[in-house]
Amino acid sequence: MNIKTLKDIPPWQWPRNAGEICLAVLRDDQAHGSDRLLAAELAGDSTVINDELAEALLSILTNPREPDPLRAQAAISLGPALEYADVDGFEDSDDVPITEPMFLKIQKTFQKLYMDTQTPKDVRRLVLEASVRAPEKWHKDAVRAAYRNNEKDWKLTAVFCMQFIRGFDKQILESLKSQNPDIHYHAVCAAGNWEIDAAWPHIAALVTSEGTEKELLLAAIEAAAFILPHKASEILHSLLDSDDEDIVDAVYEALAMAGEI
């Protein structure tokens, strides 16, 4: 089995040596660039990520001779492991895919790369996006600076990060008015995550509008349940008649979170 084969198989059906397949491709600097990029993406899955794979991803991330897209993907793939560790802690090592020393090493490496302005822009941006999965003190200033940046990529990164970093309600509400669909989407997610009451009229309008694009609608459904659960139940029930199973499933999950079923 090779790395391309893994791509076409759900992670829960991967063979036991899936992590070894990813590791071999990551370490082979003669492998095709697309294969290494795919290996970096798959290596971050919770079914395989461990200290050895994390070390391989860090090695790529910190190597300026590696292609920028590969370095950026290595950063993004380390994000979920950071979040698992940050949420679950290390009291039960079986619940966390990486060890505490590796967790701390990733955090330290991320901060160093972000603070180094010589780090390529896109790598630096995605390092910030990955690092906020386990929030630290330096993140607020970094997100604030990213939001002030006139480049739309940095603005998008900032709003994405606001889902994880508290204290940006004003900026999130501003971003709900953005004409950039990606910024708008992440603002909806952030508004729901921090239960921003002032965002309710906008979120409710998205839920009840027939013109809301599906991915945005799914985010709005979840956000509605977090912001005003009782009001959310009033506008969500009509969506249970949808022909789209994803939308119906999202509504049932939202109603369950709202305590309405």
Side-chain angles (χ1 to χ4, degrees), residues 176 185 187-208 216-237 239 250-251 253-260:
L176 288 174
Y185 171 82
V188 168
C189 295
N193 192 54
W194 299 117
E195 302 175 13
I196 301 175
D197 287 356
W200 173 256
H202 186 89
I203 301 300
L206 290 176
V207 171
T208 56
L216 182 60
L217 175 59
L218 294 176
I221 289 169
E222 181 176 350
F226 281 121
I227 296 173
L228 291 177
H230 296 303
K231 286 191 175 182
S233 65
E234 297 174 6
I235 63 174
L236 290 177
H237 277 287
L239 292 176
V251 170
E253 289 182 16
L255 291 174
M257 286 190 293
E260 296 299 314

Side-chain angles (χ1 to χ4, degrees), residues 109-178:
T109 302
F110 276 172
Q111 183 176 6
K112 181 178 179 181
L113 283 171
Y114 179 80
M115 295 302 177
D116 183 359
T117 56
Q118 297 303 307
T119 301
K121 183 188 77 170
D122 287 341
V123 176
R124 190 164 172 254
R125 279 196 314 104
L126 294 182
V127 160
L128 179 58
E129 290 187 17
S131 68
V132 296
R133 306 288 286 268
E136 294 189 272
K137 290 182 179 179
W138 63 273
H139 284 135
K140 274 200 172 182
D141 287 341
V143 173
R144 192 174 291 112
Y147 189 75
R148 289 198 302 262
N149 196 305
N150 290 326
E151 293 186 38
K152 65 178 183 180
D153 287 346
W154 276 108
K155 183 82 72 175
L156 174 59
T157 285
V159 179
F160 170 85
C161 292
M162 289 173 190
Q163 298 173 70
F164 302 91
I165 307 299
R166 186 185 297 276
F168 290 97
D169 289 14
K170 177 183 176 181
Q171 293 86 343
I172 291 168
L173 291 170
E174 289 175 351
S175 299
L176 288 174
K177 303 174 185 177
S178 175

Side-chain angles (χ1 to χ4, degrees), residues 214 218 242-252:
K214 178 179 174 179
L218 294 176
S242 172
D243 294 330
D244 191 312
E245 291 184 5
D246 293 335
I247 292 174
V248 174
D249 288 345
V251 170
Y252 274 120

